[in-house]
Amino acid sequence: MKKLVTPEQTDIARFTEPELALASKSLNCPDPRLVEFVRLLARHAAREFYGKLIEERRPKRS
């Protein structure tokens, strides 16, 4: 015999699933994943800025 699942039962089942929590273990320090992501973005922005700066300084050929 198959069990029929109603929409109300599926809504209730969703509340028992664990949630993704990004809170760090300590309340006083930031999430290390976020810190690493910000470092990655900063390196990318610095490389892009430096590349444009070098390109502007290059003598233009005619």
Side-chain angles (χ1 to χ4, degrees), residues 1-60:
M1 186 188 294
K2 288 187 177 180
K3 241 184 174 180
L4 296 176
V5 179
T6 63
E8 292 84 21
Q9 290 174 335
T10 57
D11 287 340
I12 292 170
R14 288 184 189 156
F15 288 115
T16 60
E17 295 174 1
E19 292 185 16
L20 177 63
L22 295 178
S24 61
K25 294 178 183 177
S26 173
L27 297 175
N28 295 329
C29 65
D31 186 355
R33 296 171 293 180
L34 184 59
V35 171
E36 187 60 32
F37 181 63
V38 170
R39 284 183 183 152
L40 179 73
L41 289 176
R43 271 183 287 185
H44 179 72
R47 285 184 184 136
E48 194 173 301
F49 177 76
Y50 183 73
K52 287 180 182 178
L53 188 67
I54 293 298
E55 196 172 302
E56 288 175 0
R57 288 185 176 183
R58 247 185 225 158
K60 297 187 180 188

